[in-house]
Amino acid sequence: MEFKPGRVFLLRVPEGEDLVSFVNGFAEGRGINTAIVKGIGSLRNPVLGYYSEEIRNYKRIELMGMFELVSLLGNVSLRDGRPFAHLHATLGNANGDAFGGHLIRGEVFVAEIYIQELLGKPLVRKDRGKNLSLWDEEHV
Ligand code: ZN
């Protein structure tokens, strides 16, 4: 799919917000259907997901305590007619060890995020079974 760049936002997410819910709410509030999301900061008690083909579902990785949000990368597209953020995160502990995966939730201590809106026909996610919700377009 081809898009044109739309609005660009760079902002600090308020402390205590769940990062995934915040991005969903921000996109909905600004009428953003499709976007690229990036960010850095730190999160409390984040929960990551690892998609297991074996169980056809996400295995939850629950981390306790404060973690550096070394890297947040993802996108926004439409699911059931509403903006849906798909975010992946690399998280670092006090020893510099890294954990990574699909970000299910994480309470913001600090989060500086970048949202690049993309204009064009919105990307739409559809339920594909196996607990996967994927885009229609597999190639351009
Ligand atoms: Zn994912």
Side-chain angles (χ1 to χ4, degrees), residues 48-125:
L48 297 171
Y50 171 84
Y51 188 80
S52 163
E53 220 178 341
E54 208 171 310
I55 62 169
R56 297 179 173 185
N57 205 344
Y58 285 90
K59 177 182 177 287
R60 286 169 70 91
I61 302 158
E62 303 194 2
L63 301 172
M64 296 303 292
M66 183 81 88
F67 287 80
E68 288 289 324
L69 177 57
V70 178
S71 177
L72 175 78
L73 188 61
N75 54 62
V76 173
S77 57
L78 294 180
R79 191 173 83 169
D80 300 327
R82 298 177 69 183
F84 173 82
H86 180 198
L87 303 172
H88 283 196
T90 305
L91 300 162
N93 69 13
N95 297 320
D97 302 319
F99 299 84
H102 177 101
L103 185 64
I104 295 173
R105 65 178 167 81
E107 182 191 329
V108 170
F109 176 56
V110 175
E112 299 172 349
I113 63 169
Y114 166 91
I115 298 177
Q116 163 74 68
E117 180 185 35
L118 298 173
L119 301 173
K121 185 181 163 222
L123 273 176
V124 176
R125 282 186 189 281

Side-chain angles (χ1 to χ4, degrees), residues 11-27:
L11 59 126
R12 183 167 70 83
V13 180
E15 185 177 358
E17 292 274 351
D18 170 64
L19 185 53
V20 180
S21 303
F22 179 88
V23 174
N24 284 332
F26 185 86

